[in-house]
Each structure stands twice: as C-alpha cells, then as structure tokens.
Amino acid sequence: MEPPKDKQPKVMEINIPPDGVAGGDGGATSHSLFSTGATVHAPADFETAIAATGYGRFNYLLLLVAMPCCMTTVFETTTMSYVLPSAECDLNLSLADKGMLNAITYTGMITSAFLWGFLSDTYGRKRLLVVGFLLDSTFNVLCALSQNMVAIMVFKFMGGFVICGPFAVLMAYLSEFHSLQHRSRVMIVLGVFYSAANMLLPALAWLIIPQSWNLVLGDGVLELHSWQIFLAVSCLPGVLSGISVMFLPESPKFLMSKGQNERAMAIFRRLYAINTGSRQEFPIVELVDELRQASSSEPTSGKLPSSAKTTQPASSGGVGEGFRQLAVMFQKPHLKNACLVYGIQFGILLGLNTFRLWVPQLFTIIEEFEHEQHLLLDGAMVPSYGSMAAGQATLCEMLAYKVNKTEQLQQQWMEYEVSRALHGPDPVAMEPLDDVLKCTATTEGRVYLYSLIIGCVGIGAYAVTTVMINSIGNRNILTYGLVLAGSCGTALYWARSSLVTLILSSCYITICSIASTALVGAVVAMFPTSMRTMVVSLTMMFGRTGSIIGNVVFPYLMALGCLPPFVMIGAIVIAVAMVSRLLPRTVKKPLQ
C-alpha cells in the first residue's frame, strides 16, 4: 500500500554486499521500488536511475525537440528527389545525372560515419548535435545558391558529410533518456516523426516548386528558381534543431561511462524534478562507478585505472580510445551481431532509399506520359510510343517511353551545342527543337500529392507499430515485414495505373522504413555504451552504401528494361528478411 501523500517518503535500508549494485537485474524492479517513495542507499546502475526519474514533461519536451531534428535528416537526404523533375531543364539532367544527385548525399554520409561515431562516444552527444545541425543548414543555403550541377553536388556532399553525425547521435541520445519500458516505443515514435517529415516535405514542395518564381540578382550572375527557394526553405528545421538542443542536458549514460557521476546525478535529479513536479529528493543517492566496473571485468584490456581516467581530459588519448572501441567490435559476440546488422541495413536501405528517392520521378513520368497522350489526341506525334493509350500502358511502357525520350533529348542537346560551337550562338543551320521533345519541367500537383499520401500511410503504420512493438518484437518486424515489402516491390512490375502504383509504393516504403527503424532500435540494445553510437554510425554507413549503389545503378537498370529495377528492390529486401532470423531478441533488454 502506498503511504499517504502528506507523509514523508519511507526510507528503505537495502542490505547488499559491498560490491552489490541496486538494479542489477536491469531495472526490472525499479518501478515497484520507487513507487513506494523508497530511498536507495546502494549504488544504482543507469537503468535503475533513469527509471527512477519517471516519464513525464521532460520526455515530452525531448520528443518535441526531436521533431525538427528528424525533419532535418529527412530533408537533407530527400529534397533532391523533389527538385530533380523541375530542375531537369535548368540543369539539362540525364537519368544518370539524377541518380548521381540522389546518391551524392549518401556518399558524404559514409565518408564521415566512423568519424562521427568516434567523436560522439568520446566527446559527448549534445555538442555534436548542435554543431552538426547548424553546419548542415549552412551547406543547404550554399546549395540553394548554386548555379550548376557540380556546385550542387559539392554542397550536397558536404551536407551529407555533416548530417551523418546528428542522425546517428540522435538515436543514442534519445534512447539514453528513456527507461526500458519506453525505449522501444521511442524508436518507433522517431519513425512517426520521420514519416511526418516525409509528409511535410512534399507539401512544402507542392507549395513552392510549381510557382513561377525567377529571381535574377547581380546582372544575371545569380539566378534563383522556385526549386532553389525550396532548397533554402528546407534548411529551417536544421537551424531550429541546433538552437533547441543547446538547452538540453548531456546524456547521463554517456557521463556515467566517462566516470562523471556527479554531473550525471545532477541531471537525474533535474529530470526527476521536471517529470514528477515533486520537491522530494531524488530517491537515489549514489551511482555505480562504470569505469571501475569495466576495469575490474576487463583486467587485460589495457584500460587506465578509473581514478586516472576521471582526472584526464577527454581529448587525451582520444584516437587510442577510438581504436579501442573498434577493437571491441571484433570480439565475441559483437562481431557476429555487427556483421548481421550491417548486412541487413545494407539491403534494406538499398531497396528503400533507391525506390523512395525515385518515387517522385516515377510519378512525374506517369504524369508526363499522360500529358503527351493529350498532345497526341490534339494531333501531335509522340515519338516511338504514339500508339499507346495512357489508360492501357503499363508502368513499364511508361518508363521505356521516358528512357527513350531522355536519350533523344540528350542527343538533340549535344547536336545543338556542337552547332553553336561551329556556327555561333544562334545557329541558322540548326533545325528548331521538336515541340514534343522540348524539355518541359513537370510540376503537376498530383506528383506531390502521391508522396503526401505515402507519408500519411507511414504515420498511420508507425502509430500502430508503436503500440504493438513490445508484443511483436524487432526481429519479427524485420522478418515478416520485409517479406511483404519485397513482394510489393516486385509486384510493381505489373502495375497498370497510378492507383495500383501508389498502393504498392506506400506498402513498400512504409514497411521498409519501419524495419530500418526497428533494426536501429535493436542495435541500441545489442551493444554497450562505449561503442553504441559508432555501431549505429557504421550501420547507417553500410545502409547508405547500399543507397548509393541503388541510386546509381537504378537508371542503368531502367535503360536495360523494366524488370531488372523492380527485381532488384524486391529480391534484396526478401533476402535480408531471411537473414534477420539470425538476430538475437532485444525487446526490453537493458542497455549495456
């Protein structure tokens, strides 16, 4: 029975061995212990301490700050997919160029994966979140001002290089402010935020890109179109994220792993006061010395004594610490789990980010094809595919038409440039451009509406998964969900309408996204604090490598035929679903 509220909390003396630790069961009994207002005099581990802070206003505030953080990471990797259909004419882009622009951000990400993981696990989460988000916003503004494809690629590469850190650090940072009871759900809530960002982005693109804005500055030196204004506006969540995180505390789990228990205890007390609104003292008076525990459990690891480590600045021996973290990864059981996780994420993001970033282009191709059919009905000749009716054409036939038209456009532009070089800026000998073959940017509202619908489906699916995650388990989501997603991806080959394409696309993108989020949530529980962010970063590095390969290869597969690209995105996901059965169970597993 709970004591009356007007009485002082009961002080419970816990008799344990001198080396004993309160909460050694991973915090399983912490809820019942602290609900009685008991004061624990034994050293408490992290799980016990974070459970004692409760769940309340600080957690809600933390998730509120996480919303623009998620938007920033989604905007950085996805904005180009909405820009490309409208920038196609301004930049004279081929399908291969579009694949490179989609992939360049991920190229920047993989080059910095190890760096950000090491910096976060060595110097802390908060500082890198602030610096990363503000730097990313700066590169986005420079990208918006770029006037050619090369400049855009440079700044998108730098943006990817920078945003890799905050993306991985955010996962670890949020998990380290939540107890076992809420940790799995928080990872899925992040997925809801990512889906909301994927819904907001096409809405923003729909609002800005179709506008006929064209700003000329500096006597034509700087020309800004609506798609460039869209790129500039998309940096705002990054600015908001960087400023917001400045007011949040450092991760107490990170501080405990560095032996800074006094700072960690101050943060726990602050969280307890905010969440409970109580003036009572935090029920834990001492925290476990994790450095001493680690040194006693690994006497041959070459670690410094805890007393020496706590007095040394974090920067001393930082490189050695990074290599030590990497060495631990190659030990049992971490090596097997790490390899499985890297391979699974490679396959998921190869399929997901390839298809997700090409979805606006696919729907643009459908809209463009239907527009050409109207020209055909008005008496215009559609080259090579004029005999196909829009209602009877399959997605494959529409893709074949686009590939053919793009090749002819590139050939025509090359002839035009050669003629300009030989006969001057206005070549008389050059035949006028074909009315149908003229490059016309497609900015139909339905293209953005389809992406908006996919985002809405994602939010609904994440909401259901959030409630059921502890019952289903991360491993089951990966196995059975990815089999279904792979089937939907392959079935796109037979799609004959925008509606069927939309349904299959929504299922594929949503399920793969949930599976990727569940995998990262499993990684957080599988690996210890000292290597957690690094493993998350490397996991995402392998996933982004898959994204690069997929986006670069996809247009070439389209040129080969319709079946290869859909077989690629379907078969790879089904394959990693089978591998997922080898992962350990992680539901309600305490952080190491």
Side-chain angles (χ1 to χ4, degrees), residues 78 81-82 85 102 202 351-367 395 399 446-452 454-455 492 501-502 504-506 508-509 551 554 566 569:
T78 313
S81 65
Y82 294 101
N102 274 335
L352 171 62
N353 283 333
T354 299
F355 186 68
R356 181 176 67 86
L357 295 180
W358 278 90
V359 158
Q361 186 65 52
L362 292 177
F363 285 120
T364 299
I365 290 172
I366 294 174
E367 294 295 323
L395 179 60
L399 290 178
R446 279 191 295 176
V447 172
Y448 308 109
L449 177 61
Y450 294 147
S451 298
L452 195 62
I454 293 175
L492 281 164
T501 303
L502 177 61
L504 294 175
S505 301
S506 299
Y508 183 86
I509 292 175
N551 276 286
F554 194 80
F566 296 115
I569 65 173

Side-chain angles (χ1 to χ4, degrees), residues 375-387:
L375 291 180
L376 175 64
L377 294 176
D378 292 338
M381 178 62 68
V382 180
S384 304
Y385 292 89
S387 60

Side-chain angles (χ1 to χ4, degrees), residues 23 503 523:
I503 293 173
V523 168

Side-chain angles (χ1 to χ4, degrees), residues 167 179 185 267 269:
F167 181 88
S179 63
R185 287 195 177 97
I267 292 173
R269 292 193 183 106

